[in-house]
Each structure stands twice: as structure tokens, then as C-alpha cells.
Amino acid sequence: MRKRAVIINKYGALHPSATGRPVRQLADFLWENGVDVIVLSIHAPYKRIVSQQQEKLPYRTIELPDLYNGTNKYLRLLGNLLDGFRLISYSLLLPHHQLKVVLTDPSLINAWAIIVRPFFRCKLAFWTMDLYPNAFTSAGLVSQRNPIYRMIYSFVYHHVPDFLITLGEQQYRYLCRQYNRSFIPHIVLPCGICRKEDAAEPFWRKANRDKIIFFVMPEISVKPITISSCWS
């Protein structure tokens, strides 16, 4: 039977947003390698941009209607929480799949995935673009001593996903500490701050200290990273 994967995020493969583009790249890569892909998302605007509905993709894309797109922050938060539940619940109605890749938008969609996990029979992978519920305290929206936050925090990090896609080695190590695991099957995407190393001043700078110099870099071809270990 052909392998099938479902990718879940608020912004799907047809949306040109910061999280929509990676979803598209992953979906394209899986499809090109013989995986039947379904992308499940919300038809919601981001910076007044909506999905490019006129474009046709070789794999299936599903966009649920947006619940709220106003400016009230409390209603937006409630809408986000409900969107996460709707996405995870709707994925139960999709054809049987072996892998469910869940990103971190809408907020706390990872918590919904854990709650509903007993009802689906597939591997669960988290692609940690952001860290929730940690992001709520980092943004100053709630205190770390808040009992509801502490309950959600404990619940989320008490349940380890089958696979992680992390942004940088440091994020992976941080998540291992949060999940209290020495190792979690994972892929580390290149990301982070490089250490600064002192180097000799280049020859072209000495004669052009009063100028701003731009370099045109050649296009670099990066070999895609496989996630074959997700299926085992």
C-alpha cells in the first residue's frame, strides 16, 4: 500500500506565508518521493494575503473555513484554539495515513494532537516552528506560575511525539530536556546563530572603507533531507 502522510498547519501549501512555504516544500518533496500527501489547513488571511486558490497541486489540499478574522485579541485567541481542535479532529476523517506531521500554528495545536492521539493509528511528528505553551510566557501573555499554564505545560511535555523536526541543534536539545528524554528520533534543520570568529581584514576592504559593497552569491542547491525514519 502506498504510504500516505497528512501535514497540518494553519497556513497550507497554497499560502505564501512564512509557515505555508515550508509546508509546500515538504509536501512537494514527499510527493516526489512516492508518498501520497494531504495538506490540511485553514483558509485564513495572513497580512491580508490568502491562499492561491487558482493554483493546482498534484496532491490534495483541504482548507477549512476561518472562524474569526477580527482584531479582538481574546476572540482571536479563542478562534486559534478552536482552529487547532478543528484541524486535528478533521484529520480523523481523512483516509488512513501512516504519518501525521503537525506544525505549531494555530497555538496549542500540539496539545490537541496529544489529546486526540488515542483515536488515530499513525506516527505523530511535530515540526516545531514555535514552542507552545512556552511562547505564551515569552510574549508576556501569561505568568509561568499561572495554574492553567502549568497544567498545559506539564501535559504537553509529558507526551513525547514519535518524531521531531526542529529548527537547529539547540532547539532539539532543549526539547529533549523538556520531554525528559536523552534521544528522540528527529531531523535538525539548519537554523541558529553562528559563532563569530575573528579573521584577517580582506584586501578589498582596506581600499574601500568608505563604501558599502554588495556581493551576488550564486544559487546554492541543497539536497533535501529525508524523513524515512518516520515510517519505521
Side-chain angles (χ1 to χ4, degrees), residues 104-110 130-136 152 156-157:
T104 47
D105 193 10
S107 310
L108 292 182
I109 190 175
N110 54 338
D130 294 302
L131 301 179
Y132 285 101
N134 315 55
F136 291 126
I152 296 174
V156 166
Y157 290 115

Side-chain angles (χ1 to χ4, degrees), residues 110-178:
N110 54 338
W112 288 121
I114 293 169
I115 292 173
V116 182
R117 189 176 185 180
F119 298 98
F120 56 78
R121 299 178 180 178
C122 67
K123 297 287 186 178
L124 176 62
F126 283 160
W127 187 347
T128 52
M129 293 286 186
D130 294 302
L131 301 179
Y132 285 101
N134 315 55
F136 291 126
T137 58
S138 299
L141 298 176
V142 67
S143 169
Q144 290 184 350
R145 295 186 294 272
N146 184 289
I148 297 178
Y149 169 80
R150 291 171 64 88
M151 181 181 64
I152 296 174
Y153 183 94
S154 176
F155 174 76
V156 166
Y157 290 115
H158 185 70
H159 298 81
V160 185
D162 299 298
F163 198 85
L164 285 175
I165 305 175
T166 66
L167 303 184
E169 185 69 30
Q170 293 301 321
Q171 189 188 75
Y172 167 68
R173 293 177 182 175
Y174 173 81
L175 287 171
C176 282
R177 292 194 299 269
Q178 298 300 95

Side-chain angles (χ1 to χ4, degrees), residues 10-219:
K10 182 168 185 175
Y11 302 107
L14 292 170
H15 201 288
S17 58
T19 59
R21 288 190 296 270
V23 166
R24 170 73 172 268
Q25 292 172 345
L26 177 60
D28 288 349
F29 172 71
L30 291 175
W31 177 264
E32 291 168 0
N33 284 270
V35 179
D36 188 6
V37 180
I38 300 175
V39 179
L40 179 59
S41 60
I42 302 290
H43 185 65
Y46 176 75
K47 295 184 178 179
R48 299 182 180 180
I49 300 175
V50 295
S51 300
Q52 300 170 356
Q53 295 292 322
Q54 68 278 8
E55 184 178 2
K56 300 299 181 183
L57 298 176
Y59 43 85
R60 186 179 177 189
T61 60
I62 302 172
E63 292 191 334
L64 305 183
D66 192 15
L67 290 179
Y68 180 75
N69 189 36
T71 58
N72 186 291
K73 62 180 181 180
Y74 298 107
L75 291 179
R76 288 183 68 88
L77 175 61
L78 178 60
N80 264 328
L81 295 176
L82 292 176
D83 282 342
F85 174 75
R86 294 166 63 215
L87 287 170
I88 296 298
S89 299
Y90 192 93
S91 71
L92 299 177
L93 305 177
L94 297 176
H96 175 68
H97 45 281
Q98 294 81 23
L99 178 64
K100 196 186 302 287
V101 181
V102 178
L103 282 76
T104 47
D105 193 10
S107 310
L108 292 182
I109 190 175
N110 54 338
W112 288 121
I114 293 169
I115 292 173
V116 182
R117 189 176 185 180
F119 298 98
F120 56 78
R121 299 178 180 178
C122 67
K123 297 287 186 178
L124 176 62
F126 283 160
W127 187 347
T128 52
M129 293 286 186
D130 294 302
L131 301 179
Y132 285 101
N134 315 55
F136 291 126
T137 58
S138 299
L141 298 176
V142 67
S143 169
Q144 290 184 350
R145 295 186 294 272
N146 184 289
I148 297 178
Y149 169 80
R150 291 171 64 88
M151 181 181 64
I152 296 174
Y153 183 94
S154 176
F155 174 76
V156 166
Y157 290 115
H158 185 70
H159 298 81
V160 185
D162 299 298
F163 198 85
L164 285 175
I165 305 175
T166 66
L167 303 184
E169 185 69 30
Q170 293 301 321
Q171 189 188 75
Y172 167 68
R173 293 177 182 175
Y174 173 81
L175 287 171
C176 282
R177 292 194 299 269
Q178 298 300 95
Y179 285 113
N180 195 26
R181 293 289 190 276
S182 60
F183 175 80
I184 302 173
H186 66 283
I187 285 174
V188 174
L189 301 181
C191 182
I193 301 175
C194 298
R195 294 181 178 178
K196 181 180 179 181
E197 299 181 0
D198 295 331
E201 186 178 41
F203 70 91
W204 46 262
R205 168 56 63 189
K206 296 178 180 179
N208 301 279
R209 295 185 185 279
D210 59 337
K211 298 178 181 178
I212 299 175
I213 301 175
F214 294 91
F215 290 92
V216 178
M217 300 296 292
E219 184 177 351

